[in-house]
Amino acid sequence: MPEKKTSILLVEDEENLQEALKLNLELESYEVTSVYDGAEALKAVQQEHFDLMILDVMLPELDGISVCENIRLQNNDIPILMLSAKNSSADRVLGLKKGADDYLTKPFNLEELLLRVSKLLEKSRRSSTKQPLAQVYIFGKNQVDFKASECITKDGEKIMLTKKEMMLLKLLIENKNEVVTREKILQAVWGYNVYPTTRTIDNFVLNFRKYFEEDSRNPKYFHSVRGVGYKFTE
């Protein structure tokens, strides 16, 4: 039986660009479905599984930011590469906040787009093969019981964790040895309507160091990666 091709949903209303991207993606052996507006994009995602979406921001009917937000509110974790003629950092941050995995400004180099597509697909494949966390996770002298929302610290003290602490801890441990971006943390832990400051997340990480690190000033497990996000290492 032939191997199933990787499927991509291409959402772009500029006809010439749509055709050029479709042709080049197909030359890379991807199976491409094209739609021209935001409403059609949402319909396509509900009807069919795609491995990746390339999504233009400026679309008729429903703009790309709204499409992205809608998809994430449905808990659909399809990787999304957003394309935009807007190149300010504020536009980029908004796209990432609303759930895009990557953001590319027009005009772009075709090779760069193909490389980003490849990297997003590879990252998605890696995360889908990750083993689910056990109910009780042990690292060093620490023990976390995800079901009971409690942990035993390095000093042997049993403490209850808040729901947000537990969600953040689980997210970091699930992505062990990888940097989890601030945007991903906001989406997974705080949802889409509330955006705490970076300091809020920092305070959570400081609490984790207090509970679990032998030396909180030289952390072994919980690291802040300046300007990017946070990482759990073991």
Side-chain angles (χ1 to χ4, degrees), residues 6-69:
T6 299
S7 60
I8 293 177
L9 177 63
L10 175 59
V11 192
E12 171 60 66
D13 68 320
E14 201 179 311
E15 201 167 334
N16 291 340
L17 181 56
Q18 163 88 262
E19 286 176 9
L21 288 177
K22 187 173 193 294
L23 175 65
N24 280 277
L25 288 163
E26 286 174 344
L27 286 171
E28 296 290 315
S29 296
Y30 298 125
E31 190 176 276
V32 182
T33 299
S34 302
V35 296
Y36 292 85
D37 65 60
E40 284 296 317
L42 285 179
K43 196 186 296 180
V45 168
Q46 284 163 2
Q47 291 174 347
E48 197 179 330
H49 167 81
F50 295 97
D51 298 299
L52 179 120
M53 176 190 278
I54 298 174
L55 176 64
D56 187 32
V57 169
M58 305 294 282
L59 292 169
E61 299 289 328
L62 197 65
D63 67 83
I65 297 287
S66 301
V67 170
C68 190
E69 190 172 25

Side-chain angles (χ1 to χ4, degrees), residues 49-174:
H49 167 81
F50 295 97
D51 298 299
L52 179 120
M53 176 190 278
I54 298 174
L55 176 64
D56 187 32
V57 169
M58 305 294 282
L59 292 169
E61 299 289 328
L62 197 65
D63 67 83
I65 297 287
S66 301
V67 170
C68 190
E69 190 172 25
N70 263 281
I71 287 169
R72 294 302 184 232
L73 286 169
Q74 294 162 20
N75 292 320
N76 188 326
D77 57 1
I78 178 176
I80 296 175
L81 170 58
M82 198 169 268
L83 307 179
S84 177
K86 298 178 175 181
N87 60 4
S88 77
S89 60
D91 291 313
R92 180 183 168 82
V93 166
L94 179 63
L96 294 169
K97 268 186 176 181
K98 295 299 182 184
D101 296 275
D102 202 354
Y103 190 101
L104 194 56
T105 55
K106 298 177 180 179
F108 49 78
N109 178 296
L110 184 63
E111 279 185 40
E112 183 182 358
L113 177 128
L114 293 172
L115 186 63
R116 290 189 185 216
V117 164
S118 174
K119 288 198 167 200
L120 279 175
L121 287 166
E122 180 56 36
K123 188 177 176 186
S124 177
R125 275 191 285 269
R126 281 205 313 271
S127 62
S128 67
T129 56
K130 281 179 184 169
Q131 293 297 311
L133 281 181
Q135 181 186 316
V136 176
Y137 187 83
I138 296 168
F139 58 103
K141 296 177 182 175
N142 309 292
Q143 184 172 305
V144 181
D145 185 330
F146 289 106
K147 195 169 183 182
S149 291
E150 64 183 27
C151 63
I152 296 171
T153 70
K154 63 183 188 302
D155 303 317
E157 182 187 357
K158 184 183 279 191
I159 58 171
M160 296 298 294
L161 295 176
T162 66
K163 186 181 178 187
K164 293 267 190 288
E165 282 180 321
M166 189 57 73
M167 288 168 76
L168 178 55
L169 189 57
K170 190 168 189 282
L171 182 67
L172 292 174
I173 293 174
E174 278 177 341

Side-chain angles (χ1 to χ4, degrees), residues 218-232:
N218 296 293
K220 179 180 176 183
Y221 305 112
F222 296 93
H223 308 271
S224 300
V225 182
R226 186 179 290 278
V228 185
Y230 306 83
K231 180 165 73 167
F232 172 81

